[in-house]
Amino acid sequence: MKILVTGGLGFIGSNFILKVLEKYPKISITNVDACLNGSNLKNLAGIKNSNYKFIGGNITNKSLVEKLVAGTDLVFNFAAESHVDRSISDPRPFIDSNIIGVYIILEAIRKHKKKMIQISTDEVFGSLKSGSANEVFPFNPSSPYAASKASAEMLVKSYVTTYDSDVIITRCTNNYGPRQSPEKLIPKVILLAEKNQKIPIYGNGKNIRDWIFVLDHCNAILKVLLKGKKGESYNIAGKNEVSNITIVKKILNIMGKSKELMYFIKDRPGHDFRYSLNSEKIYNELHWKPTYSFEKGLERTISWYIENKEW
């Protein structure tokens, strides 16, 4: 089998490629990445498998995407601008990558009759005061990032309905683990704490997210590939809802650092209070469940960043 991974130098995409090569070393993987924010060439620098090939390029490049899709069996679209703060400062790159880029991939898979897995996010549902969003819960995005991902999902659904395109959507909660950009909460806290530097926390720190270790997410995507149904979407959650301030305290405790490193800053505009996904569908229909507890995954993540300072 030949697969195309877009955005494979990013956090989740790189971990996914490493997982696939470990589990299926004979699969041919082409990774196309524009090397923008969140991408890191070091993420996959150690790969020695000759079945892996990297191509520098953007999913908004129609001729490149069509050529790559024509030569593959399956597309995993991880490529996305994903940092909420940057989407507030400048929404345009998010529109280009997360909407136009997805449209270009969809056109290519429609023309060449290929299969696609679209990687989405729980942020499309917006903030929930109570309960959890299942796969048919209405979209209510708050940030330009979330709106761009919701728009991509709507495009995917339209191609499934109108053109009978073979696409599945996976929608995940917050990921953490090795190779995540230092601009994200958990690696930022680890790296600042390691240097005994002050750790900024938005608002009162009580915003709640569900967290999943990145390798559990990768295994869920593979389960969806093998057992998921065409045109369906699957929520992927770790069932680890926790406030931001609790996460910071856990990291400081594991690292033996003082809680006095924490300080509070003005909240960002439109900061959603709580995300929560109902993932019973993938648990019951595809028989997937996470294997890492939040504590175990957090300890492994902290160790990775401390042991990989050159990265």
Side-chain angles (χ1 to χ4, degrees):
M1 175 183 281
K2 296 180 179 180
I3 69 173
L4 173 64
V5 175
T6 66
L9 290 181
F11 167 45
I12 303 173
S14 62
N15 277 285
F16 180 75
I17 287 173
L18 291 170
K19 171 57 69 173
V20 172
L21 290 175
E22 174 192 328
K23 199 167 186 178
Y24 307 105
K26 294 184 179 180
I27 283 182
S28 175
I29 300 178
T30 297
N31 170 23
V32 59
D33 195 296
C35 300
L36 301 176
N37 288 307
S39 299
N40 191 332
L41 286 165
K42 293 179 181 178
N43 282 345
L44 298 176
I47 292 180
K48 294 182 173 63
N49 191 320
S50 60
N51 289 324
Y52 169 76
K53 179 170 67 173
F54 169 69
I55 295 176
N58 200 307
I59 59 171
T60 58
N61 183 332
K62 184 178 179 181
S63 59
L64 173 64
V65 169
E66 186 165 315
K67 177 182 177 182
L68 293 175
V69 170
T72 195
D73 301 307
L74 171 66
V75 180
F76 292 90
N77 183 35
F78 291 92
E81 290 283 355
S82 65
H83 196 259
V84 174
D85 285 5
R86 281 193 284 102
S87 82
I88 294 170
S89 300
D90 182 12
R92 181 55 191 264
F94 294 76
I95 305 303
D96 291 342
S97 179
N98 302 354
I99 301 177
I100 303 302
V102 170
Y103 155 71
I104 288 172
I105 297 172
L106 285 169
E107 279 291 283
I109 68 161
R110 175 168 77 96
K111 178 178 180 179
H112 297 287
K113 301 188 185 307
K114 306 295 183 177
K115 183 182 180 72
M116 173 182 175
I117 308 290
Q118 167 68 11
I119 312 301
S120 192
T121 172
D122 59 352
E123 295 195 37
V124 298
F125 298 122
S127 186
L128 277 67
K129 291 183 178 179
S130 62
S132 299
N134 63 14
E135 281 77 4
V136 296
F137 199 84
F139 289 170
N140 186 30
S142 300
S143 67
Y145 161 65
S148 69
K149 294 296 285 188
S151 299
E153 286 204 35
M154 297 300 290
L155 264 178
V156 167
K157 288 293 187 182
S158 74
Y159 272 67
V160 170
T161 301
T162 304
Y163 304 116
D164 196 33
S165 295
D166 189 357
V167 190
I168 300 175
I169 295 169
T170 64
R171 194 182 292 119
C172 195
T173 55
N174 279 35
N175 280 232
Y176 69 100
R179 302 176 186 85
Q180 188 171 28
S181 170
E183 69 184 359
K184 300 292 187 174
L185 175 65
I186 289 179
K188 177 186 285 187
V189 173
I190 295 169
L191 295 171
L192 288 173
E194 174 70 4
K195 297 177 181 178
N196 291 309
Q197 294 180 354
K198 288 290 187 178
I199 299 166
I201 301 173
Y202 278 130
N204 59 14
K206 294 183 179 180
N207 300 71
I208 296 171
R209 301 290 183 265
D210 178 271
W211 293 86
I212 184 170
F213 190 62
V214 65
L215 295 182
D216 278 331
H217 183 194
C218 293
N219 285 326
I221 295 169
L222 288 173
K223 182 72 77 169
V224 167
L225 169 63
L226 296 173
K227 295 189 175 182
K229 296 179 181 178
K230 173 182 174 180
E232 293 289 318
S233 60
Y234 296 90
N235 289 348
I236 302 168
K239 295 186 177 181
N240 291 307
E241 288 192 26
V242 62
S243 67
N244 290 344
I245 194 167
T246 299
I247 289 176
V248 176
K249 289 178 178 177
K250 282 180 178 289
I251 293 171
L252 292 174
N253 183 58
I254 292 171
M255 296 180 69
K257 300 291 184 176
S258 171
K259 292 181 177 60
E260 293 184 3
L261 291 175
M262 299 186 303
Y263 75 102
F264 298 93
I265 61 174
K266 183 180 178 180
D267 210 353
R268 73 184 180 207
H271 194 180
D272 288 334
F273 178 72
R274 174 178 174 265
Y275 299 140
S276 181
L277 285 185
N278 180 324
S279 54
E280 295 304 311
K281 181 177 179 179
I282 193 171
Y283 276 62
N284 296 329
E285 293 184 12
L286 306 191
H287 307 294
W288 170 88
K289 64 179 181 180
T291 59
Y292 286 86
S293 67
F294 186 59
E295 288 70 21
K296 178 183 174 183
L298 200 55
E299 289 175 0
R300 180 166 174 175
T301 301
I302 291 170
S303 296
W304 189 88
Y305 280 97
I306 291 175
E307 293 168 5
N308 291 271
K309 291 179 181 178
E310 289 185 6
W311 179 92

